Coordinates of all heavy atoms in Angstrom, one line a residue:
M16 N 4.7 24.3 22.1 CA 3.5 25.2 21.7 C 2.4 24.5 22.4 O 2.2 23.3 22.2 CB 3.5 25.4 20.3 CG 2.3 26.2 19.8 SD 2.3 26.5 18.0 CE 0.9 27.4 17.9
M17 N 1.4 25.3 22.9 CA 0.2 24.9 23.4 C -0.9 24.9 22.5 O -1.1 25.9 21.8 CB -0.3 25.6 24.7 CG 0.9 25.5 25.8 SD 1.1 23.9 26.5 CE -0.3 23.8 27.5
I18 N -1.7 23.9 22.4 CA -3.0 24.0 21.5 C -4.2 23.6 22.5 O -4.0 23.1 23.5 CB -2.9 23.0 20.4 CG1 -2.7 21.5 20.8 CG2 -1.8 23.4 19.4 CD1 -2.7 20.6 19.7
V19 N -5.4 23.9 22.0 CA -6.5 23.6 22.8 C -7.3 22.5 22.2 O -7.5 22.5 20.9 CB -7.5 24.9 22.9 CG1 -8.8 24.5 23.6 CG2 -6.8 26.1 23.4
D20 N -7.6 21.5 22.9 CA -8.3 20.3 22.4 C -9.9 20.6 22.3 O -10.3 21.7 22.5 CB -8.1 19.0 23.2 CG -8.6 19.1 24.5 OD1 -9.3 20.1 24.9 OD2 -8.6 18.0 25.2
Q21 N -10.6 19.8 21.9 CA -12.0 19.8 21.7 C -12.8 20.2 23.0 O -13.8 20.7 22.9 CB -12.7 18.5 21.2 CG -12.3 18.3 19.6 CD -12.8 17.1 19.1 OE1 -13.4 16.3 20.0 NE2 -12.6 16.8 17.9
H22 N -12.3 19.8 24.1 CA -13.0 20.2 25.4 C -12.5 21.3 26.0 O -12.7 21.6 27.3 CB -12.8 18.8 26.4 CG -13.2 17.6 25.8 ND1 -14.5 17.4 25.5 CD2 -12.6 16.5 25.2 CE1 -14.6 16.2 25.0 NE2 -13.4 15.7 24.8
G23 N -11.6 22.2 25.3 CA -11.1 23.4 25.9 C -9.9 23.2 26.8 O -9.4 24.4 27.4
K24 N -9.3 22.1 27.0 CA -8.1 21.9 27.7 C -6.8 22.3 26.9 O -6.8 21.9 25.6 CB -8.0 20.5 28.2 CG -9.1 20.0 29.1 CD -8.9 18.6 29.5 CE -10.1 18.0 30.1 NZ -10.0 16.6 30.4
H25 N -5.9 22.7 27.5 CA -4.6 23.0 26.9 C -3.8 21.7 26.7 O -3.6 21.0 27.8 CB -3.7 24.1 27.5 CG -4.2 25.4 27.4 ND1 -4.1 26.2 26.2 CD2 -5.0 26.3 28.2 CE1 -4.8 27.4 26.3 NE2 -5.3 27.3 27.6
V26 N -3.3 21.3 25.5 CA -2.5 20.2 25.3 C -1.3 20.6 24.6 O -1.1 21.4 23.7 CB -3.3 19.2 24.3 CG1 -2.6 18.0 24.0 CG2 -4.7 19.0 24.8
R27 N -0.1 19.9 25.0 CA 1.1 20.2 24.5 C 1.4 19.3 23.4 O 1.3 18.0 23.6 CB 2.1 20.1 25.6 CG 3.5 20.6 25.1 CD 4.4 21.0 26.4 NE 5.6 21.6 25.9 CZ 5.8 22.9 25.6 NH1 4.7 23.5 25.5 NH2 7.0 23.3 25.3
R28 N 2.0 19.6 22.3 CA 2.4 18.8 21.2 C 3.6 18.0 21.6 O 4.5 18.5 22.2 CB 2.6 19.6 19.9 CG 1.5 20.3 19.4 CD 1.8 21.0 18.2 NE 0.8 21.8 17.6 CZ 0.6 22.6 16.7 NH1 2.0 22.8 16.0 NH2 -0.3 23.1 16.2
E29 N 3.6 16.7 21.1 CA 4.7 15.9 21.5 C 5.2 15.1 20.4 O 4.4 14.8 19.5 CB 4.4 15.1 22.7 CG 4.2 15.7 24.0 CD 3.9 14.8 25.1 OE1 4.0 13.6 24.9 OE2 3.6 15.4 26.3
G30 N 6.4 14.6 20.4 CA 7.0 13.7 19.3 C 7.0 14.3 18.0 O 7.4 15.5 17.8
W31 N 6.7 13.5 16.9 CA 6.8 13.9 15.5 C 5.9 15.1 15.3 O 6.2 16.0 14.4 CB 6.6 12.8 14.6 CG 5.2 12.2 14.7 CD1 4.7 11.3 15.6 CD2 4.1 12.6 14.0 NE1 3.5 11.0 15.2 CE2 3.0 11.9 14.3 CE3 3.9 13.5 12.8 CZ2 1.6 11.9 13.7 CZ3 2.6 13.7 12.4 CH2 1.6 12.9 12.8
F32 N 4.8 15.2 15.8 CA 3.7 16.2 15.7 C 4.3 17.6 16.0 O 4.2 18.7 15.4 CB 2.5 15.9 16.4 CG 1.3 16.9 16.0 CD1 0.7 16.7 14.8 CD2 0.9 17.8 16.9 CE1 -0.2 17.5 14.4 CE2 -0.2 18.7 16.5 CZ -0.8 18.4 15.2
A33 N 5.1 17.6 17.1 CA 5.7 18.9 17.6 C 6.8 19.3 16.6 O 7.1 20.5 16.3 CB 6.4 18.7 18.9
T34 N 7.6 18.2 16.0 CA 8.6 18.6 15.0 C 8.1 19.2 13.7 O 8.6 20.2 13.2 CB 9.4 17.4 14.7 OG1 9.9 16.8 15.9 CG2 10.6 17.7 13.8
I35 N 6.9 18.6 13.3 CA 6.4 19.2 12.2 C 5.7 20.5 12.4 O 5.7 21.4 11.6 CB 5.2 18.1 11.6 CG1 5.7 16.9 11.2 CG2 4.3 18.9 10.6 CD1 4.8 15.8 10.9
G36 N 5.2 20.7 13.5 CA 4.6 22.0 14.0 C 5.7 23.2 13.9 O 5.3 24.3 13.5
Q37 N 6.9 22.9 14.3 CA 7.9 23.9 14.3 C 8.3 24.3 12.8 O 8.6 25.4 12.5 CB 9.3 23.3 14.8 CG 9.2 23.1 16.4 CD 10.4 22.5 17.0 OE1 11.2 21.9 16.2 NE2 10.5 22.5 18.2
F38 N 8.1 23.3 11.8 CA 8.5 23.7 10.5 C 7.3 24.3 9.9 O 7.4 25.2 8.9 CB 8.7 22.5 9.7 CG 10.2 21.8 10.1 CD1 10.2 20.7 10.7 CD2 11.3 22.5 9.7 CE1 11.6 20.1 11.0 CE2 12.5 22.0 10.0 CZ 12.7 20.8 10.8
V39 N 6.0 24.0 10.3 CA 4.9 24.6 9.5 C 4.5 26.0 10.1 O 3.9 26.7 9.5 CB 3.7 23.6 9.7 CG1 2.4 24.3 9.3 CG2 4.0 22.3 9.1
S40 N 4.9 26.3 11.4 CA 4.5 27.5 12.0 C 4.9 28.7 11.3 O 4.1 29.6 11.1 CB 5.1 27.6 13.4 OG 4.7 28.7 14.0
P41 N 6.1 28.9 10.7 CA 6.5 30.1 9.9 C 5.6 30.3 8.6 O 5.3 31.3 8.3 CB 7.9 29.9 9.6 CG 8.4 28.9 10.6 CD 7.3 28.0 10.8
I42 N 5.3 29.1 8.1 CA 4.4 29.1 6.8 C 3.1 29.7 7.1 O 2.5 30.4 6.5 CB 4.5 27.8 6.2 CG1 5.9 27.3 5.8 CG2 3.5 27.7 5.0 CD1 6.0 26.0 5.3
R43 N 2.5 29.1 8.3 CA 1.1 29.6 8.7 C 1.1 31.1 9.1 O 0.2 31.8 8.7 CB 0.8 28.7 10.0 CG 0.5 27.3 9.6 CD 0.0 26.7 10.9 NE -1.3 27.3 11.4 CZ -1.9 26.9 12.6 NH1 -1.5 26.0 13.2 NH2 -2.9 27.7 12.8
V44 N 2.2 31.6 9.6 CA 2.2 32.9 9.9 C 2.4 33.8 8.6 O 1.7 34.9 8.6 CB 3.6 33.2 10.9 CG1 3.7 34.7 11.0 CG2 3.3 32.6 12.2
F45 N 3.3 33.4 7.8 CA 3.3 34.0 6.4 C 2.0 34.1 5.8 O 1.5 35.1 5.4 CB 4.4 33.3 5.6 CG 4.5 33.8 4.2 CD1 5.2 35.0 4.0 CD2 4.0 33.1 3.0 CE1 5.3 35.5 2.8 CE2 4.1 33.6 1.8 CZ 4.7 34.9 1.6
F46 N 1.2 33.0 5.6 CA 0.0 33.0 4.8 C -1.1 33.6 5.8 O -2.0 34.2 5.0 CB -0.5 31.6 4.6 CG 0.2 31.0 3.4 CD1 1.1 29.9 3.5 CD2 0.2 31.5 2.1 CE1 1.8 29.4 2.4 CE2 0.7 31.0 1.1 CZ 1.7 30.0 1.1
A47 N -1.0 33.7 7.0 CA -2.0 34.5 7.8 C -1.8 36.1 7.5 O -2.8 36.8 7.4 CB -1.8 34.2 9.3
G48 N -0.5 36.4 7.3 CA -0.3 37.9 7.0 C -0.9 38.2 5.6 O -1.5 39.2 5.4
I49 N -0.7 37.3 4.7 CA -1.0 37.5 3.2 C -2.6 37.5 3.2 O -3.3 38.3 2.6 CB -0.5 36.4 2.3 CG1 1.0 36.7 2.1 CG2 -1.4 36.4 1.0 CD1 1.6 35.6 1.2
S50 N -3.2 36.6 4.0 CA -4.7 36.5 4.0 C -5.4 37.7 4.6 O -6.5 38.1 4.2 CB -5.1 35.3 4.8 OG -4.9 35.4 6.1
R51 N -4.8 38.5 5.4 CA -5.3 39.8 6.1 C -5.0 41.0 5.3 O -5.5 42.0 5.5 CB -4.7 39.9 7.5 CG -5.3 39.0 8.4 CD -4.8 39.3 9.8 NE -3.4 39.4 10.1 CZ -2.6 38.4 10.4 NH1 -3.2 37.3 10.8 NH2 -1.3 38.5 10.6
L52 N -4.4 40.9 4.0 CA -4.0 42.2 3.2 C -5.5 42.6 2.6 O -6.1 41.9 1.9 CB -3.1 41.8 2.1 CG -1.6 41.6 2.6 CD1 -0.8 41.1 1.5 CD2 -1.0 42.8 3.3
G53 N -5.7 43.9 2.8 CA -6.9 44.6 2.2 C -8.2 44.1 2.4 O -9.1 44.2 1.7
I54 N -8.5 43.5 3.6 CA -9.8 43.0 4.0 C -10.5 43.8 5.0 O -11.7 43.6 5.2 CB -9.8 41.5 4.3 CG1 -9.0 41.3 5.7 CG2 -9.2 40.7 3.3 CD1 -9.2 40.0 6.3
Q55 N -9.8 44.8 5.5 CA -10.4 45.7 6.6 C -11.6 46.5 5.9 O -11.6 46.9 4.9 CB -9.4 46.7 7.2 CG -8.3 46.0 8.1 CD -7.4 45.3 7.3 OE1 -7.1 45.5 6.0 NE2 -6.7 44.3 7.9
G56 N -12.6 46.6 6.7 CA -13.8 47.5 6.3 C -14.9 46.6 5.5 O -15.9 47.1 5.3
Y57 N -14.6 45.3 5.4 CA -15.6 44.6 4.8 C -16.4 43.7 5.8 O -15.8 43.5 6.9 CB -15.0 43.5 3.8 CG -14.5 44.0 2.5 CD1 -13.2 44.5 2.4 CD2 -15.2 44.3 1.4 CE1 -12.6 45.1 1.2 CE2 -14.9 44.9 0.1 CZ -13.5 45.3 0.1 OH -13.0 45.9 -0.9
P58 N -17.5 43.3 5.5 CA -18.3 42.5 6.4 C -17.6 41.1 6.7 O -16.9 40.6 5.8 CB -19.7 42.3 5.9 CG -19.7 43.0 4.6 CD -18.2 43.6 4.3
P59 N -17.8 40.5 7.8 CA -17.1 39.2 8.0 C -17.2 38.1 6.9 O -16.2 37.5 6.8 CB -17.7 38.6 9.5 CG -18.2 40.0 10.1 CD -18.6 40.9 9.0
D60 N -18.4 38.0 6.5 CA -18.6 37.0 5.5 C -17.7 37.2 4.2 O -17.1 36.3 3.7 CB -20.1 37.0 5.0 CG -20.4 35.8 4.2 OD1 -19.9 34.7 4.4 OD2 -21.2 36.0 3.2
A61 N -17.6 38.5 3.8 CA -16.8 39.0 2.7 C -15.3 38.9 3.0 O -14.6 38.4 2.2 CB -17.2 40.4 2.2
Q62 N -14.9 39.1 4.3 CA -13.6 39.0 4.7 C -13.2 37.5 4.6 O -11.9 37.3 4.1 CB -13.4 39.4 6.2 CG -13.4 40.9 6.3 CD -13.0 41.3 7.8 OE1 -12.8 40.5 8.6 NE2 -13.0 42.6 8.0
R63 N -13.9 36.6 4.9 CA -13.5 35.2 4.9 C -13.3 34.8 3.3 O -12.4 34.1 3.0 CB -14.7 34.3 5.3 CG -14.3 32.8 5.5 CD -15.5 31.9 6.0 NE -16.6 31.9 5.1 CZ -17.7 32.3 5.2 NH1 -18.0 32.8 6.4 NH2 -18.7 32.2 4.3
R64 N -14.2 35.3 2.4 CA -13.9 34.9 1.0 C -12.7 35.6 0.5 O -12.0 35.0 -0.3 CB -15.2 35.3 0.2 CG -16.3 34.5 0.6 CD -17.6 34.7 -0.5 NE -18.0 36.1 -0.5 CZ -19.0 36.5 0.1 NH1 -19.8 35.7 0.9 NH2 -19.4 37.8 0.1
L65 N -12.4 36.9 0.9 CA -11.3 37.6 0.5 C -10.0 37.0 1.0 O -9.0 37.0 0.3 CB -11.2 39.1 1.0 CG -12.4 39.9 0.2 CD1 -12.5 41.4 0.9 CD2 -11.9 40.0 -1.3
K66 N -10.1 36.3 2.2 CA -8.8 35.7 2.7 C -8.4 34.5 1.9 O -7.4 34.3 1.5 CB -9.2 35.3 4.1 CG -9.0 36.3 5.1 CD -9.3 35.7 6.5 CE -9.3 36.8 7.6 NZ -9.4 36.2 8.9
I67 N -9.6 33.8 1.4 CA -9.4 32.6 0.5 C -8.8 33.0 -0.8 O -7.8 32.5 -1.4 CB -10.7 31.9 0.3 CG1 -11.1 31.3 1.7 CG2 -10.5 30.8 -0.9 CD1 -12.5 30.7 1.7
V68 N -9.3 34.1 -1.4 CA -8.8 34.7 -2.6 C -7.3 35.1 -2.5 O -6.5 34.9 -3.4 CB -9.7 35.8 -3.2 CG1 -9.0 36.5 -4.3 CG2 -11.1 35.2 -3.6
N69 N -6.9 35.8 -1.4 CA -5.6 36.2 -1.2 C -4.7 35.1 -1.2 O -3.5 35.2 -1.8 CB -5.6 37.1 0.2 CG -6.2 38.5 -0.1 OD1 -6.5 38.9 -1.1 ND2 -6.3 39.1 1.2
V70 N -5.0 34.1 -0.4 CA -4.0 33.0 -0.2 C -3.9 32.3 -1.5 O -2.8 32.0 -1.9 CB -4.5 32.0 0.9 CG1 -3.6 30.8 0.9 CG2 -4.4 32.8 2.2
F71 N -5.1 32.0 -2.2 CA -5.1 31.2 -3.6 C -4.2 32.0 -4.6 O -3.4 31.5 -5.3 CB -6.4 31.0 -4.1 CG -6.5 30.1 -5.2 CD1 -6.1 28.7 -5.1 CD2 -6.7 30.7 -6.5 CE1 -6.2 28.1 -6.4 CE2 -6.6 30.0 -7.6 CZ -6.4 28.7 -7.6
S72 N -4.4 33.3 -4.7 CA -3.6 34.1 -5.6 C -2.1 34.1 -5.3 O -1.4 34.3 -6.3 CB -4.3 35.4 -5.9 OG -4.4 36.2 -4.6
S73 N -1.8 34.3 -4.1 CA -0.4 34.3 -3.8 C 0.3 32.9 -4.1 O 1.4 32.8 -4.5 CB -0.1 34.5 -2.1 OG -0.8 33.4 -1.4
L74 N -0.5 31.7 -3.9 CA 0.0 30.4 -4.3 C 0.2 30.4 -5.8 O 1.2 29.8 -6.3 CB -0.9 29.4 -3.8 CG -0.8 29.1 -2.4 CD1 -2.0 28.0 -2.0 CD2 0.5 28.5 -1.9
V75 N -0.7 30.9 -6.6 CA -0.6 31.0 -8.0 C 0.6 31.8 -8.5 O 1.4 31.4 -9.3 CB -2.0 31.6 -8.6 CG1 -1.7 31.9 -10.1 CG2 -3.0 30.5 -8.4
A76 N 0.8 32.9 -7.8 CA 2.0 33.8 -8.2 C 3.2 33.1 -7.8 O 4.2 33.2 -8.6 CB 1.8 35.2 -7.4
A77 N 3.3 32.5 -6.7 CA 4.5 31.7 -6.3 C 4.8 30.6 -7.2 O 6.1 30.5 -7.6 CB 4.4 31.3 -4.8
T78 N 3.9 29.8 -7.7 CA 4.2 28.7 -8.5 C 4.5 29.3 -9.9 O 5.3 28.6 -10.6 CB 3.0 27.6 -8.5 OG1 1.7 28.4 -8.8 CG2 2.8 26.9 -7.2
T79 N 3.8 30.2 -10.3 CA 4.2 30.8 -11.7 C 5.6 31.4 -11.7 O 6.4 31.2 -12.7 CB 3.2 32.0 -12.0 OG1 1.9 31.4 -12.0 CG2 3.5 32.5 -13.5
F80 N 6.0 31.9 -10.6 CA 7.3 32.5 -10.5 C 8.4 31.3 -10.5 O 9.4 31.4 -11.2 CB 7.6 33.3 -9.2 CG 9.0 33.7 -9.1 CD1 9.5 34.8 -9.7 CD2 9.8 33.1 -8.1 CE1 10.8 35.2 -9.6 CE2 11.1 33.5 -7.9 CZ 11.7 34.6 -8.7
I81 N 8.1 30.3 -9.9 CA 8.9 29.1 -9.8 C 9.2 28.5 -11.4 O 10.2 28.2 -11.7 CB 8.5 28.0 -8.8 CG1 8.7 28.6 -7.4 CG2 9.3 26.7 -8.9 CD1 8.0 27.7 -6.4
Y82 N 7.9 28.5 -12.0 CA 7.9 27.9 -13.3 C 8.7 28.8 -14.2 O 9.4 28.3 -15.1 CB 6.5 27.8 -13.8 CG 6.3 27.4 -15.4 CD1 6.7 26.0 -15.6 CD2 5.8 28.2 -16.4 CE1 6.5 25.6 -16.9 CE2 5.8 27.8 -17.5 CZ 6.1 26.5 -17.9 OH 5.9 26.1 -19.1
A83 N 8.6 30.1 -14.1 CA 9.3 31.0 -14.9 C 10.7 31.0 -14.7 O 11.6 30.9 -15.6 CB 8.8 32.4 -14.7
L84 N 11.2 30.8 -13.4 CA 12.7 30.5 -13.0 C 13.2 29.3 -13.6 O 14.3 29.4 -14.2 CB 12.7 30.6 -11.5 CG 14.1 30.7 -10.9 CD1 14.7 32.0 -11.4 CD2 14.0 30.5 -9.4
Q85 N 12.3 28.2 -13.6 CA 12.9 27.0 -14.2 C 13.1 27.0 -15.7 O 14.1 26.7 -16.3 CB 11.8 25.8 -13.9 CG 11.8 25.3 -12.6 CD 10.8 24.3 -12.4 OE1 9.7 24.2 -13.1 NE2 11.0 23.4 -11.4
L86 N 12.0 27.8 -16.5 CA 12.2 28.1 -17.8 C 13.4 28.9 -18.2 O 14.2 28.5 -19.1 CB 11.1 28.6 -18.5 CG 9.9 27.8 -18.7 CD1 8.6 28.6 -19.2 CD2 10.2 26.6 -19.7
W87 N 13.7 29.9 -17.2 CA 14.9 30.8 -17.4 C 16.2 30.0 -17.3 O 17.0 30.2 -18.1 CB 14.7 32.0 -16.6 CG 15.9 32.9 -16.6 CD1 16.4 33.7 -17.7 CD2 17.0 33.1 -15.5 NE1 17.5 34.5 -17.2 CE2 17.9 34.0 -16.0 CE3 17.1 32.4 -14.3 CZ2 19.0 34.3 -15.3 CZ3 18.2 32.8 -13.5 CH2 19.0 33.7 -14.0
M88 N 16.2 29.3 -16.3 CA 17.4 28.4 -16.0 C 17.6 27.4 -17.1 O 18.9 26.9 -17.4 CB 17.4 28.0 -14.7 CG 17.5 28.9 -13.5 SD 17.4 28.2 -11.9 CE 19.1 27.7 -11.8
S89 N 16.7 26.9 -17.7 CA 16.9 25.8 -18.7 C 17.3 26.3 -20.1 O 17.7 25.7 -21.0 CB 15.5 24.9 -18.9 OG 14.6 25.8 -19.6
G90 N 17.2 27.7 -20.3 CA 17.7 28.2 -21.5 C 16.6 28.4 -22.6 O 16.9 28.8 -23.6
D91 N 15.3 28.1 -22.2 CA 14.3 28.3 -23.2 C 13.8 29.8 -23.1 O 13.5 30.4 -22.3 CB 13.2 27.3 -22.9 CG 13.6 25.9 -23.3 OD1 14.5 25.8 -24.0 OD2 12.9 25.0 -22.8

């Protein structure tokens, strides 16, 4: 995957950084999709804040689901 450095040149990831990038890329795509839900029609400043709220609330929902699943599996 190509990235752009601070000077505008394309740089190719190599070594361990490329390996980590392969695992993180699907997660970034998933959260990018979540962050864009329901923000059309708002000014750019409000869109930025709504993206943060969308991602944070999805993380809260996911961790709450995991916690509930753990409680259910433990028999409590």
Side-chain angles (χ1 to χ4, degrees):
M16 176 178 186
M17 300 295 281
I18 60 173
V19 178
D20 68 358
Q21 292 177 347
H22 304 291
K24 299 179 195 172
H25 288 286
V26 179
R27 186 156 189 83
R28 295 179 180 175
E29 295 179 2
W31 64 271
F32 193 68
T34 305
I35 292 173
Q37 290 175 346
F38 291 109
V39 174
S40 181
I42 297 169
R43 289 182 60 185
V44 170
F45 176 73
F46 281 115
I49 287 176
S50 70
R51 288 190 299 264
L52 291 175
I54 64 169
Q55 290 75 21
Y57 288 95
D60 190 43
Q62 283 186 2
R63 185 181 70 240
R64 291 191 303 262
L65 287 171
K66 285 180 181 182
I67 293 167
V68 170
N69 284 348
V70 170
F71 185 74
S72 55
S73 68
L74 289 172
V75 168
T78 55
T79 303
F80 177 74
I81 291 169
Y82 178 69
L84 190 64
Q85 287 176 337
L86 283 177
W87 175 70
M88 292 180 77
S89 70
D91 289 341

